[in-house]
Amino acid sequence: MAASSSENGSNGKLEFFLKVPFPSEREAAIALQSLSPDPEPRKGGITKDLDVAGQTLSVRWTADEARILRVSVSSFLDHLSLVMETMDAFGPPVSQ
């Protein structure tokens, strides 16, 4: 797993990037489908973009405040952990 953060000087927004490798493209796609339906509850101050490239799930947050960013990333990591534990419990996905 790789993560990085930065502050975009031009608009003062905070950014956080996370890349999560999975054993297969199918598992990365399952994680994306499981995590995508959860929009941010707050209507302003933060955006979250999810994408899959190969076996890697990429997430990018942009926020106005560090507190909002921290809460969103923490919540996402809790959900990601649950998704990964569930996939481990049921074994590798069956081909469709």
Side-chain angles (χ1 to χ4, degrees):
M1 187 175 345
S4 68
S5 62
S6 67
E7 183 171 348
N8 189 337
S10 63
N11 62 8
K13 297 230 181 218
L14 299 165
E15 294 181 322
F16 186 79
F17 302 91
L18 179 69
K19 292 186 183 239
V20 184
F22 284 88
S24 69
E25 290 182 15
R26 177 88 171 110
E27 287 168 295
I30 289 170
L32 175 67
Q33 291 170 357
S34 298
L35 297 165
S36 290
D38 295 332
E40 291 300 323
R42 190 173 172 159
K43 291 294 181 197
I46 192 159
T47 59
K48 178 176 66 181
D49 300 306
L50 288 86
D51 188 38
V52 168
Q55 297 173 222
T56 303
L57 173 68
S58 300
V59 189
R60 177 180 170 259
W61 286 266
T62 305
D64 294 333
E65 300 174 24
R67 181 184 58 81
I68 297 168
L69 180 61
R70 184 182 69 246
V71 169
S72 180
V73 171
S74 177
S75 176
F76 178 84
L77 292 175
D78 287 343
H79 289 112
L80 175 63
S81 176
L82 180 61
V83 167
M84 294 176 84
E85 288 174 15
T86 302
M87 285 194 283
D88 284 344
F90 286 94
V94 179
S95 299
Q96 291 185 347

